[in-house]
Amino acid sequence: MASLLRAAATWGLFPWRGYCSGVRQGKLSKDFVEALKAIVGSPHVSTAATVREQHGHDECQPPDAVVWPQNVEQVSQLAALCYRQGVPIIPFGTGTGLEGGVCAVQGGVCVNLTHMDRILALNPEDFSVVVEPGVTRKALNTHLRDCGLWFPVDPGADASLCGMAATAASGTNAVRYGTTRENILNLEVVLPGGQVLHTAGKGRHFRKSAAGYNLTGLFVGSEGTLGLITAATLRLHPIPEAMVAATCAFPSVQAAVDSTVHILHAAVPVARIEFLDEVMMDACNRHSKLNCPVAPTLFLEFHGSKQALAEQVQQAEKITQDNGASHFLWAKEAEERSQLWAARHNAWYAALALRPGSKGYATDVCVPISRLPEILVQTKEDLKTSGLTGCIVGHVGDGNFHCILMVDPEDAEELRRLKAFVHQLGRRALALHGTCTGEHGIGLGKRQLLQDEVGAVGMETMRQLKATLDPRGLMNPGKVL
């Protein structure tokens, strides 16, 4: 997915290029680089061009240095040093974000947190775990397997868990288990001046509290603009006794999305409900060797006891059939389910294969469930009108969907149509009382839409919070606000 960012920056889809070129702070002094080495050790500091480029994105300037701290004490010292010297700080996890969140728009120091990869505490009785920022979703679930617990939030990419906190990530399981925001109990955050904050109190992992302001919620989704997340206390869930997955095809987009709404209204506890339009299904059939109808399709998954699953499946099948569904394919065995969901998670690569030599761009919006049929049908019409090659895939159980678009980066007219389509999609979502992004975040690309979404008072409140925590504006500058 990192290639998406590089392509977007190059194409000038958003005003990254001009922003990135005019406010650079200048290269770091030799003494400052030596001070970085004194904190983390020489092997954990690099100013090599290739390394810096790996932590930046094309037209956006790369950082001036990359550092790999080994513990929170080093992160604190690094933050204090940078802040004293007026050097921008850019947190970096696995680099799988989609809105330019790691672009070093003013140069500075990129703090790569992947070497901090310990699972610090596991409390199975309390259904919680404490992880450092280098721990990824898949690594955690592998570690948890023997104790019968898992962390179900699944954005597709094997993202770092603290990075998921920073971007408020979600994914296919959000309809049942919630997003990252609902599954974070506490955060350890190094503030810009080097102070270490525990947002719910040091060592605490309670399920609910009415004590003071919700500081944890403030930092979830802050995209590195308020501090560096150095540990996260996560809520865990029992691994279900049984799982069943299914796909079914529909005669129209409207019918597929109506089924989604009806399933939710019937209180069927579906764990995943994903929509893929006919273009996306054609791509997945070719790329993942499936044999599904080329039609608007729902991917569903149910979790629970074997007895409960039988009832859930029966209810869902009846609802979908009433909306014209056909070609049911059920997957009960783990290997079959994995193959099915691998096809869904590989949708990006399948879409790129539809137009060899093109570059991909993805955007997302989220609307109230009741407005989902309307915006999806409108978006399909907008795609046809634009003449762009694109497809729709989404976590429709919570009103969130993505458009994946393939373009020729050398075709200025096609890029103009792409930019117009993306802007129109964001405006449509806002007009339907939705949001310009359900899970990708604001980053660099959606700052204007954020202003339209929250209004002048909302923006001013955010700016005041930013100014209080980061008065010098050095934490991941240029993002969100």
Side-chain angles (χ1 to χ4, degrees):
M1 286 298 194
S3 61
L4 178 153
L5 276 179
R6 289 194 289 272
T10 303
W11 306 338
L13 299 178
F14 298 103
W16 295 10
R17 185 176 303 171
Y19 187 87
C20 295
S21 61
V23 289
R24 189 157 177 83
Q25 297 287 315
K27 292 185 178 180
L28 304 177
S29 69
K30 182 178 179 181
D31 288 345
F32 184 85
V33 174
E34 290 302 314
L36 295 175
K37 293 178 180 178
I39 294 173
V40 299
S42 294
H44 305 302
V45 177
S46 179
T47 56
T50 53
V51 174
R52 294 188 297 110
E53 290 291 343
Q54 289 169 1
H55 290 77
H57 293 290
D58 285 354
E59 296 292 325
C60 280
Q61 296 281 1
D64 298 306
V66 180
V67 296
W68 288 264
Q70 310 300 300
N71 52 56
V72 63
E73 291 78 15
Q74 291 183 357
V75 176
S76 174
Q77 293 176 52
L78 288 168
L81 172 65
C82 290
Y83 219 69
R84 285 197 307 270
Q85 299 296 322
V87 176
I89 305 164
I90 304 96
F92 189 96
T94 53
T96 55
L98 296 178
E99 291 294 341
V102 298
C103 286
V105 297
Q106 296 182 20
V109 173
C110 175
V111 182
N112 185 318
L113 297 161
T114 55
H115 286 193
M116 296 173 61
D117 58 359
R118 294 177 298 165
I119 296 173
L120 299 174
L122 174 60
N123 303 289
E125 319 79 28
D126 297 326
F127 297 90
S128 70
V129 66
V130 185
V131 299
E132 288 188 323
V135 179
T136 65
R137 175 183 60 85
K138 289 182 180 179
L140 174 62
N141 281 331
T142 298
H143 181 83
L144 294 172
R145 190 174 296 153
D146 292 339
C147 64
L149 299 174
W150 70 319
F151 185 71
V153 183
D154 178 6
D158 190 22
S160 65
L161 291 158
C162 289
M164 289 170 61
T167 56
S170 57
T172 57
N173 282 317
V175 65
R176 173 71 176 267
Y177 299 98
T179 70
T180 302
R181 189 179 297 278
E182 289 81 47
N183 287 280
I184 299 247
L185 305 176
N186 199 351
L187 293 172
E188 178 185 79
V189 183
V190 173
L191 298 177
Q195 309 98 314
V196 179
L197 168 69
H198 297 270
T199 56
K202 190 171 184 178
R204 304 193 187 282
H205 51 275
F206 43 73
R207 284 298 186 94
K208 64 179 183 180
S209 171
Y213 298 132
N214 184 356
L215 296 179
T216 303
L218 175 62
F219 284 90
V220 174
S222 60
E223 302 187 35
T225 62
L226 302 178
L228 299 104
I229 298 175
T230 51
T233 304
L234 308 175
R235 178 182 179 182
L236 302 177
H237 298 258
I239 296 175
E241 175 190 333
M243 300 182 186
V244 174
T247 64
C248 51
F250 292 85
S252 67
V253 172
Q254 183 80 46
V257 182
D258 283 347
S259 289
T260 300
V261 176
H262 296 162
I263 286 170
L264 296 175
H265 280 176
V268 179
V270 62
R272 309 194 212 198
I273 183 162
E274 299 284 297
F275 171 79
L276 291 79
D277 72 1
E278 71 281 359
V279 181
M280 189 75 262
M281 284 308 303
D282 184 34
C284 286
N285 279 342
R286 298 183 193 187
H287 184 78
S288 298
K289 306 298 187 289
L290 299 180
N291 190 29
C292 296
V294 178
T297 299
L298 290 182
F299 281 46
L300 305 100
E301 188 166 274
F302 305 91
H303 297 173
S305 67
K306 293 180 180 179
Q307 182 177 353
L309 285 186
E311 183 179 348
Q312 293 173 30
V313 167
Q314 185 178 14
Q315 280 184 281
E317 189 166 353
K318 173 68 167 59
I319 291 169
T320 54
Q321 285 177 339
D322 287 345
N323 283 283
S326 61
H327 296 88
F328 281 88
L329 173 65
W330 296 100
K332 297 181 180 180
E333 300 302 322
E335 185 176 347
E336 294 176 316
R337 290 198 323 274
S338 295
Q339 182 183 11
L340 205 59
W341 288 109
R344 164 62 185 89
H345 285 317
N346 288 331
W348 168 258
Y349 304 103
L352 289 181
L354 286 175
R355 188 179 174 187
S358 66
K359 298 294 183 181
Y361 176 79
T363 188
D364 87 308
V365 296
C366 186
V367 297
I369 297 292
S370 64
R371 311 308 294 269
L372 188 59
E374 179 180 351
I375 192 171
L376 271 175
V377 171
Q378 288 177 335
T379 302
K380 286 292 291 181
E381 289 300 317
D382 291 343
L383 262 177
K384 291 178 182 177
T385 302
S386 72
L388 296 168
T389 301
C391 44
I392 296 175
V393 57
H395 321 304
V396 289
D398 48 19
N400 180 211
F401 68 94
H402 310 262
C403 289
I404 304 175
L405 306 159
M406 282 65 70
V407 297
D408 177 359
E410 303 301 322
D411 187 335
E413 170 58 22
E414 190 171 46
L415 294 180
R416 183 197 62 77
R417 286 184 279 123
L418 173 63
K419 185 174 181 179
F421 173 84
V422 170
H423 179 74
Q424 183 178 39
L425 178 60
R427 299 295 303 169
R428 282 200 189 281
L430 297 183
L432 295 176
H433 307 293
T435 175
C436 64
T437 175
E439 57 186 21
H440 288 185
I442 297 298
L444 288 166
K446 293 190 172 180
R447 289 174 296 172
Q448 180 57 54
L449 285 170
L450 176 64
Q451 294 184 41
D452 297 338
E453 182 170 326
V454 304
V457 176
M459 290 299 296
E460 182 56 29
T461 302
M462 291 186 195
R463 290 191 183 101
Q464 290 176 7
L465 288 168
K466 169 76 169 172
T468 298
L469 292 170
D470 181 16
R472 302 188 69 179
L474 296 176
M475 278 303 311
N476 209 11
K479 317 302 167 48
V480 182
L481 303 178

